[in-house]
Amino acid sequence: GESVGLHLPTLSVQEGDNSIINCAYSNSASDYFIWYKQESGKGPQFIIDIRSNMDKRQGQRVTVLLNKTVKHLSLQIAATQPGDSAVYFCAENTDGNKLVFGAGTILRVKS
Amino acid sequence: DAGITQSPRHKVTETGTPVTLRCHQTENHRYMYWYRQDPGHGLRLIHYSYGVKDTDKGEVSDGYSVSRSKTEDFLLTLESATSSQTSVYFCAISLAGEGTDTQYFGPGTRLTVL
C-alpha cells in the first residue's frame, strides 16, 4: 500500500485469517525486494526477500509474490496472529546497495 | 539485531546545538547506512558508507555529515540541529558482498530538537 499524506493504509483482519499486504514499487530496474515488519518503538525487522528472477518465495507462514509486469509486490501471512500486528514496509533495491522504502501498511489483528 | 547498537537511544536538544549519533556493529560488515523515519515518509536514506572513510550522500543529506574512521562505527552529526531534524534515526548494515543485499536495522534513536 502507498500512503496518502500522513495516513498509512490499514488492514484489519481476524485472528486466524490470512492477510495480504500489497506494495507498488517504482523502478522497473529494481532487482531485489524485501519485506520488513516494524513494531512500535523498534527498528524494522527483516521478514522475507525475493530477487527479480523469481515470482514467489515462501517462508514460515509468509509468502512474497512479485509481479514485474505491473510492478507489484505482495506479502501473504497465513493464519494471522496477534503478534503479527505491526507496520509492514516493502523495499526495493534500485541503485547498487541502496534501498527505497514504501511508506508502510498497518496490520491490525483482531482477537 | 545483527549486532547493531545505537547511542543514545533518546535525546532532546535545542535548536542550533551540535548532535552526534553513534552506530556500532560487531560483525565487520562493510556497508552501513543512516536513515530517518518520519510519519508518512517511511524510511529515507541520509548517508551511507561502503568502507572506512568511504561515504556518500543519500536522499536527504542536507544538514547532516557522517564519519567512519573504523569499520565498526558510523557516526551521524547534525552540525546545528533544527526542529525539522526531529525524527527517529535508524542505522543499518548490509550484507552486500556477503551473498545477499539484505539490510538489518538497529533499534533507533529518537531525537527531539526544541
Side-chain angles (χ1 to χ4, degrees):
Chain A
E2 297 293 327
S3 68
V4 177
L6 298 178
H7 303 287
L8 295 182
T10 300
L11 175 66
S12 293
V13 299
Q14 197 66 39
E15 180 180 359
D17 288 350
N18 296 335
S19 303
I20 300 176
I21 301 171
N22 297 303
C23 178
Y25 64 92
S26 58
N27 191 334
S28 57
S30 295
D31 61 357
Y32 179 63
F33 304 87
I34 309 175
W35 279 102
Y36 288 93
K37 172 187 180 183
Q38 187 176 25
E39 297 173 284
S40 181
K42 297 184 178 180
Q45 175 187 358
F46 171 86
I47 302 173
I48 191 167
D49 58 0
I50 188 168
R51 293 224 168 261
S52 58
N53 60 355
M54 302 173 69
D55 297 322
K56 178 179 179 179
R57 189 161 188 226
Q58 288 184 288
Q60 187 174 19
R61 272 199 319 119
V62 294
T63 301
V64 55
L65 299 177
L66 176 62
N67 185 331
K68 295 180 287 292
T69 302
V70 295
K71 293 190 287 185
H72 184 267
L73 195 66
S74 68
L75 176 70
Q76 300 179 0
I77 304 174
T80 313
Q81 302 168 0
D84 295 326
S85 293
V87 179
Y88 289 81
F89 296 94
C90 65
E92 59 183 303
N93 185 357
T94 62
D95 176 16
N97 299 307
K98 293 185 285 186
L99 296 178
V100 173
F101 288 81
T105 297
I106 299 170
L107 176 64
R108 291 203 174 108
V109 182
K110 298 174 285 187
S111 299
Chain B
D1 64 359
I4 305 168
T5 57
Q6 293 184 232
S7 58
R9 294 293 315 280
H10 302 271
K11 186 169 182 68
V12 179
T13 192
E14 294 188 348
T15 298
T17 60
V19 177
T20 295
L21 308 182
R22 180 183 183 233
C23 177
H24 180 77
Q25 55 137 333
T26 58
E27 298 178 3
N28 240 25
H29 299 297
R30 179 181 170 194
Y31 292 88
M32 298 183 76
Y33 305 79
W34 276 108
Y35 292 88
R36 60 179 288 172
Q37 185 175 39
D38 305 289
H41 289 283
L43 286 146
R44 293 182 291 174
L45 182 64
I46 305 171
H47 281 279
Y48 65 103
S49 169
Y50 42 95
V52 173
K53 295 194 168 114
D54 290 325
T55 65
D56 206 347
K57 295 179 180 180
E59 176 189 356
V60 290
S61 59
D62 287 349
Y64 301 94
S65 62
V66 289
S67 65
R68 191 157 177 214
S69 58
K70 299 185 289 184
T71 299
E72 59 266 36
D73 289 325
F74 191 30
L75 304 180
L76 177 71
T77 297
L78 292 65
E79 300 289 348
S80 178
T82 67
S83 58
S84 65
Q85 293 175 310
T86 293
S87 187
V88 182
Y89 291 86
F90 288 100
C91 174
I93 60 92
S94 169
L95 301 186
E98 301 171 47
T100 176
D101 296 323
T102 306
Q103 289 188 18
Y104 292 92
F105 287 82
T109 294
R110 182 173 293 277
L111 177 67
T112 301
V113 184
L114 301 176

